[in-house]
């Protein structure tokens, strides 16, 4: 029985062809670049008054959102890399509930609210929005570089998340979708009544 499970696991590991892996990497890099570009576009030209405006004390400003994105970029990437310390286990693929597009849809669904943990909360650690965005850009460049060069098995390592089990590749997609989620939040803030004209 153990021998049979080993054979099945090996077949599942090798079911991802070199072409599939290259295609995965290319899609991920494109998504990383897309969400980076969309964030830059959404905050471009905003004044300090606009960046720091909030309609209520309980609502994050645009500056808060950008800092949260920069913090999350590191924390989520570190989490993804920690999954690679465990042995690959292709048999767990049957536990996945969503495909890659499903992960993107779930994380960017703004109707689903999540309270962030303390380690992800903005505290002004980068000085200002420019500093937060610079930290994000540097971290995103490192992520893109990693995805272009890695030979890590991103499909047979896993993380348990609030969205269910994700493979490491999906966790990195989740990271980029998280950027999009808060870029959408920034757009919502800009559309609120009372948002400064400049």
């Amino acid at each position: 029985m153990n021998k049979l499970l080993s054979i099945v696991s090996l077949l599942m590991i090798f079911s991802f062809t070199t072409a599939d892996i290259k295609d995965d990497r290319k899609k991920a890099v494109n998504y990383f670049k897309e969400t980076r570009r969309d964030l830059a576009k959404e905050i471009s030209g905003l004044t300090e008054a606009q960046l720091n405006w909030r309609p209520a004390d309980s609502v994050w400003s645009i500056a808060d959102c950008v800092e949260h994105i920069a913090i999350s970029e590191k924390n989520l990437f570190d989490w993804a890399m920690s999954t690679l310390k465990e042995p690959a286990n292709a048999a767990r693929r049957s536990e996945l509930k969503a495909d890659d597009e499903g992960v993107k849809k779930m994380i960017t669904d703004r109707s689903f609210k999540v309270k962030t943990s303390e380690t992800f909360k903005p505290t002004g650690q980068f000085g200002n929005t420019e500093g937060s965005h610079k930290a994000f850009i540097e971290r995103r460049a490192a992520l893109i570089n990693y995805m272009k060069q890695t030979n890590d098995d991103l499909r047979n390592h896993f993380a348990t998340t609030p969205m269910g089990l994700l493979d490491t590749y999906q966790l990195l997609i989740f990271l980029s979708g998280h950027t999009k989620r808060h870029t959408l939040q920034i757009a919502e803030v800009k559309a609120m009544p009372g948002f400064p004209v400049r």
Side-chain angles (χ1 to χ4, degrees):
M1 184 66 173
N2 285 341
K3 189 174 182 182
L4 178 62
L5 284 173
S6 297
I7 291 169
V8 169
S9 293
L10 280 173
L11 287 173
M12 290 178 79
I13 288 170
F14 292 112
S15 66
F16 289 102
T17 65
T18 302
D20 290 334
I21 293 168
K22 285 182 179 177
D23 189 49
D24 269 357
R25 304 301 198 262
K26 184 177 179 182
K27 285 179 183 175
V29 167
N30 287 340
Y31 191 49
F32 298 158
K33 289 179 178 178
E34 173 193 323
T35 56
R36 177 182 64 186
R37 182 182 63 245
D38 290 348
L39 173 62
K41 183 178 176 183
E42 203 62 59
I43 64 173
S44 177
L46 296 180
T47 65
E48 284 299 310
Q50 291 171 323
L51 291 168
N52 293 296
W53 179 82
R54 61 181 77 221
D57 290 341
S58 60
V59 179
W60 279 0
S61 66
I62 293 171
D64 291 332
C65 291
V66 177
E67 183 182 352
H68 172 68
I69 290 168
I71 293 167
S72 301
E73 188 79 8
K74 179 184 185 308
N75 291 354
L76 293 174
F77 181 73
D78 288 349
W79 183 17
M81 293 303 96
S82 74
T83 67
L84 300 175
K85 294 176 182 175
E86 298 297 321
N89 184 359
R92 294 201 72 192
R93 295 205 59 75
S94 63
E95 298 175 45
L96 295 174
K97 303 292 186 214
D99 62 12
D100 301 342
E101 289 305 311
V103 171
K104 289 180 186 179
K105 285 178 185 171
M106 283 190 282
I107 187 60
T108 57
D109 179 1
R110 293 278 304 142
S111 68
F112 177 67
K113 302 298 182 186
V114 179
K115 188 175 173 79
T116 196
S117 66
E118 287 298 320
T119 55
F120 286 80
K121 286 184 178 176
T123 60
Q125 65 181 275
F126 301 110
N128 57 23
T129 306
E130 184 181 351
S132 296
H133 190 236
K134 182 181 177 187
F136 164 74
I137 291 296
E138 289 171 356
R139 291 169 177 182
R140 180 55 59 93
L143 171 60
I144 290 170
N145 189 52
Y146 167 79
M147 187 59 80
K148 285 180 175 178
Q149 297 184 7
T150 187
N151 291 315
D152 291 337
D153 179 0
L154 303 179
R155 288 298 193 179
N156 293 304
H157 292 86
F158 303 90
T160 302
T161 77
M163 296 168 54
L165 191 72
L166 300 181
D167 66 34
T168 305
Y169 178 86
Q170 290 177 325
L171 189 52
L172 293 171
I173 293 299
F174 175 96
L175 183 163
S176 193
H178 177 269
T179 302
K180 183 171 181 177
R181 177 182 180 84
H182 289 287
T183 301
L184 292 170
Q185 183 179 359
I186 289 168
E188 289 169 10
V189 171
K190 289 167 67 176
M192 287 179 179
F195 184 73
V197 177
R198 60 189 187 93

